[in-house]
Structure formats: structure tokens, C-alpha cells
């Protein structure tokens, strides 16, 4: 089938290389026609996750979640949340799983309980859960929920997730709490450290308390790119390495799906590819995450000095430092 015979849907599902800008523009222009089809793709992720695990060349769901977020489709909010529940979420969504917070901000329908139950579900990937809580922080920054709602949500998560004893989850959770001023939570967070429920390779109590001395950190974090909804499809997607003309070119440029820093020639090695393309959840829970060498978190006003450009960002986003708080 040649290009003239393919529908925009077929282009984004199967024939997505090079970047299908024209197909996406056609879909965006005919929202009424394509919106139900994007929702149907998300429903299929929920109903048939094995399809998305087996069909490595299929990318329709990646485009669908960005389109629905761009359209601010509140009817898709719960579909999107449920599409990130499967235990193989890292295979289905790859790096996109770290964007769940932005999808929440973009499509939220007011159902706070849906997000809380999702975050408290220990069967959901811990990185997805911590980034989902980041979505709640972003909703607060955008005045969609009140400070009291955010504080009560955090307390509920701390109370109900303590029994899971997931140190990495709580480390990411506390990194998100560092971004907003929350002296009301200090006692509960100290308790997590005292009970050894936090991976201190990610964050230390002294660093959290340093960030909490004033509202300065909150004021700085409000406008962070990772706190914003999806605004421009092409800016979000077009520079992903997967859209390169050849696989060799994609491999040479690879830095996660997106690569906007081609000048860092010394940043890439084969281990780097595996580190980005596969979620850290492949590591055993009892391991020390030595492969990723996370650095001790410093005050975010110092932009985490000592963290390597290719190390996981200490803020807990799951992205490389150079793709997150170093920017």
C-alpha cells in the first residue's frame, strides 16, 4: 500500500517513519472524526495488552495518548489511567510511562479518587505511581485542586502505602513533595525515613528539609516543563529518535525516544541504550540500583550538583538528568 492509499490512522499505527506530520495534522483538523478512534485505541490497550506487547512496530497508542491530551479530552482521563495499569507497562509504553503526570494534567475530569486509587495500587509500576503523584502536584500548581486536597492526598498515600515498603516509590514521592511547600507533611515524611521506607540514594531527609525552608522551590517549580499539559504535538514528538530514516541513524542518535542534544557525542554507549529503552523495574527490588548509580539529591536550587548528565534525574521523573532538571 502506497502513501496515497493509506489513511492517517494507518500512518500513525504502522507506517510512522519518518515522522508522520501530515497524518497528524489531518487527524487534528478532523477531531470529531478521529477522537472516537483515539479513545478506541486506548480501550484496546486496556482490553488487549498482549497485542501491544507482541506488536513492537505498532505505535498507534503512543500517538493516541498525546492527541487525547492535546485535545484536553476529559472523557479519556480514566481510559488513560487504566491503560497504565498492566504489569508490562514498561513494554507497552516504554519511556512514555514517565509522562503520566502530564497526561493527568491534560485530561483530568475532576475525579481525584481515581488518581489516588491508582497511586495506592501496589500492582502498578512504582515509577508510574510516583509520576502520577507528580500529576497531582501539577494540578495544584495549575489551581485545579487546592493545597488542602493535595496535602490530604499525600497523607492518604503515606498511610496506605507504608505497608508496601517500597523504598523507591517513597523516594520518588518525597522528591515530588519537595517541589511544593508542605510543612504540614514534615512529621509524616520524617517517619518514613525513621522507618527506613525511603531509598536514601535518591533523597535524604536533610535535602528534603533544605528545600522546605522557604517557598522558593515551589515558586521555581511551578513553571517547569514537566508540570505543563501537552501543548504542541509536533514539538513533543517530532525529534524522537524512532522517527529517523534508518535504524542505524536512530541507534547512533538514540537518547530515549527523543533526542534534542545531538552535540553530546560522548554521552552515548550501548549500555545507555538499554538503560533508557528498558524501565528500571527490571531490576530486582532487593538490588541497590548500582547499575544506575543514582546520586544523592541536593537542594533543587543547586540543580543537583554532582549528578551525571546521563544519570537518572534525582527528582524522580525517571528521565535522564540532562533531559529533566538540568535543562
Amino acid at each position: 500500500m502506497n502513501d496515497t492509499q493509506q489513511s492517517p490512522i494507518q500512518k500513525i499505527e504502522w507506517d510512522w517513519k519518518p515522522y508522520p506530520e501530515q497524518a497528524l495534522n489531518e487527524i487534528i483538523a478532523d477531531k470529531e472524526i478521529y477522537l472516537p478512534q483515539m479513545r478506541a485505541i486506548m480501550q484496546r490497550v486496556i482490553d488487549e495488552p498482549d497485542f501491544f506487547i507482541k506488536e513492537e512496530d505498532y505505535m498507534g497508542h503512543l500517538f493516541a495518548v498525546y492527541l487525547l491530551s492535546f485535545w484536553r479530552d476529559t472523557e479519556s482521563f480514566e481510559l488513560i489511567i487504566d491503560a497504565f495499569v498492566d504489569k508490562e507497562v514498561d513494554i507497552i509504553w516504554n519511556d512514555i510511562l514517565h509522562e503520566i503526570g502530564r497526561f493527568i494534567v491534560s485530561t483530568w475530569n475532576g475525579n481525584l479518587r481515581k488518581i489516588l486509587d491508582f497511586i495506592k495500587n501496589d500492582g502498578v509500576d512504582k515509577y508510574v505511581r510516583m509520576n502520577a503523584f507528580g500529576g497531582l502536584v501539577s494540578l495544584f500548581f495549575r489551581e485545579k485542586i487546592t493545597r488542602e486536597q493535595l496535602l490530604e492526598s499525600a497523607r492518604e498515600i503515606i498511610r496506605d502505602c507504608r505497608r508496601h515498603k517500597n523504598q523507591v516509590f517513597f523516594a520518588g514521592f518525597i522528591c515530588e513533595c519537595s517541589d511544593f511547600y508542605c510543612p504540614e507533611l514534615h512529621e509524616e515524611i520524617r517517619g518514613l525515613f525513621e522507618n527506613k521506607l525511603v531509598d536514601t540514594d535518591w533523597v535524604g531527609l536533610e535535602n528534603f528539609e533544605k528545600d522546605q525552608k522557604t517557598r522558593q522551590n515551589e515558586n521555581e517549580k511551578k513553571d517547569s516543563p514537566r508540570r505543563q499539559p501537552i501543548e504542541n504535538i509536533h514539538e513533543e514528538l517530532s525529534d524522537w529518535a524512532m522517527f529517523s530514516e534508518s535504524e542505524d541513524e536512530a541507534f547512533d542518535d538514540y537518547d530515549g525516544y527523543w533526542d534534542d542534544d545531538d552535540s553530546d557525542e560522548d554521552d552515548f554507549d550501548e549500555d545507555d541504550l538499554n538503560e533508557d529503552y528498558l524501565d528500571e523495574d527490571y531490576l530486582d527490588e532487593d538490588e541497590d540500583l548500582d547499575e544506575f548509580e543514582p546520586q544523592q539529591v541536593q537542594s533543587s536550587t543547586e540543580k543537583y550538583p554532582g549528578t551525571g548528565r546521563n544519570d537518572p534525574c534525582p527528582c524522580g521523573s525517571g528521565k535522564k538528568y540532562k533531559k529533566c532538571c538540568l535543562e
Side-chain angles (χ1 to χ4, degrees), residues 139-185:
L139 286 173
F140 161 65
F141 285 159
R142 297 182 66 80
E143 300 182 348
K144 301 297 184 181
I145 62 174
T146 66
R147 181 179 295 272
E148 189 56 36
Q149 285 178 304
L150 179 57
L151 292 172
E152 287 303 314
S153 297
R155 291 189 183 105
E156 181 176 332
I157 291 166
I158 291 171
R159 182 184 66 245
D160 292 357
C161 292
R162 289 172 65 97
R163 66 182 184 274
H164 302 155
K165 299 181 179 180
N166 192 319
Q167 294 181 322
V168 173
F169 166 73
F170 272 126
F173 169 83
I174 291 169
C175 287
E176 297 290 353
C177 289
S178 295
D179 279 5
F180 70 99
Y181 187 61
C182 54
E184 302 91 338
L185 298 178

Side-chain angles (χ1 to χ4, degrees), residues 182-234:
C182 54
E184 302 91 338
L185 298 178
H186 290 190
E187 183 177 348
E188 288 96 333
I189 289 176
R190 288 191 196 100
L192 293 176
F193 282 100
E194 290 169 0
N195 288 282
K196 302 186 185 303
L197 294 176
V198 183
D199 185 337
T200 54
D201 283 335
W202 279 53
V203 62
L205 177 59
E206 67 279 6
N207 306 123
F208 170 76
E209 291 178 338
K210 185 176 181 180
D211 277 342
Q212 288 289 308
K213 286 182 178 179
T214 68
R215 291 182 182 272
Q216 180 181 352
N217 200 42
E218 178 176 307
N219 294 334
E220 292 176 350
K221 294 297 184 180
K222 280 184 178 181
D223 296 324
S224 168
R226 65 182 293 264
R227 298 296 181 194
Q228 308 308 311
I230 304 302
E231 296 286 0
N232 186 307
I233 291 289
H234 300 313

Side-chain angles (χ1 to χ4, degrees), residues 58-311:
Y58 181 87
M59 295 295 166
H61 57 310
L62 302 187
F63 291 104
V65 72
Y66 274 92
L67 285 163
L68 293 168
S69 296
F70 171 71
W71 284 328
R72 305 291 186 267
D73 184 43
T74 57
E75 290 188 30
S76 296
F77 169 73
E78 296 186 16
L79 283 175
I80 292 172
I81 293 290
D82 290 341
F84 282 79
V85 170
D86 192 84
K87 63 182 180 180
E88 302 291 351
V89 64
D90 55 322
I91 299 175
I92 296 171
W93 292 105
N94 289 287
D95 284 351
I96 303 308
L97 63 87
H98 300 296
E99 296 292 324
I100 183 68
R102 297 185 66 210
F103 301 147
I104 286 172
V105 171
S106 299
T107 64
W108 191 53
N109 65 1
N111 189 347
L112 183 58
R113 176 50 48 190
K114 181 73 175 182
I115 306 175
L116 284 173
D117 289 344
F118 177 76
I119 295 170
K120 294 192 299 179
N121 182 354
D122 193 42
V124 175
D125 179 277
K126 56 183 173 288
Y127 297 100
V128 176
R129 293 164 59 213
M130 67 175 71
N131 281 285
F133 179 69
L136 287 183
V137 177
S138 300
L139 286 173
F140 161 65
F141 285 159
R142 297 182 66 80
E143 300 182 348
K144 301 297 184 181
I145 62 174
T146 66
R147 181 179 295 272
E148 189 56 36
Q149 285 178 304
L150 179 57
L151 292 172
E152 287 303 314
S153 297
R155 291 189 183 105
E156 181 176 332
I157 291 166
I158 291 171
R159 182 184 66 245
D160 292 357
C161 292
R162 289 172 65 97
R163 66 182 184 274
H164 302 155
K165 299 181 179 180
N166 192 319
Q167 294 181 322
V168 173
F169 166 73
F170 272 126
F173 169 83
I174 291 169
C175 287
E176 297 290 353
C177 289
S178 295
D179 279 5
F180 70 99
Y181 187 61
C182 54
E184 302 91 338
L185 298 178
H186 290 190
E187 183 177 348
E188 288 96 333
I189 289 176
R190 288 191 196 100
L192 293 176
F193 282 100
E194 290 169 0
N195 288 282
K196 302 186 185 303
L197 294 176
V198 183
D199 185 337
T200 54
D201 283 335
W202 279 53
V203 62
L205 177 59
E206 67 279 6
N207 306 123
F208 170 76
E209 291 178 338
K210 185 176 181 180
D211 277 342
Q212 288 289 308
K213 286 182 178 179
T214 68
R215 291 182 182 272
Q216 180 181 352
N217 200 42
E218 178 176 307
N219 294 334
E220 292 176 350
K221 294 297 184 180
K222 280 184 178 181
D223 296 324
S224 168
R226 65 182 293 264
R227 298 296 181 194
Q228 308 308 311
I230 304 302
E231 296 286 0
N232 186 307
I233 291 289
H234 300 313
E235 287 184 2
E236 296 280 352
L237 306 180
S238 62
D239 63 348
W240 289 7
M242 60 184 271
F243 297 123
S244 299
E245 288 291 345
S246 70
E247 292 184 5
D248 289 340
E249 180 184 345
F251 187 89
D252 289 341
D253 289 344
Y254 189 85
D255 193 11
Y257 274 126
W258 44 87
D259 187 319
D260 56 4
D261 194 1
D262 293 336
S263 62
D264 295 333
E265 296 179 1
D266 59 343
D267 284 343
F268 177 82
D269 58 35
E270 187 168 347
D271 291 335
D272 200 44
L273 173 66
N274 294 328
E275 177 181 316
D276 273 354
Y277 204 83
L278 301 177
D279 184 76
E280 296 93 320
D281 207 25
Y282 278 94
L283 292 179
D284 188 272
E285 283 289 338
D286 294 328
E287 291 181 13
D288 293 329
L289 297 178
D290 289 339
E291 179 180 348
F292 299 95
E293 299 179 353
Q295 303 293 320
Q296 187 75 8
V297 175
Q298 304 295 324
S299 169
S300 52
T301 59
E302 298 173 354
K303 294 193 175 181
Y304 310 121
T307 304
R309 289 172 58 78
N310 286 315
D311 289 338

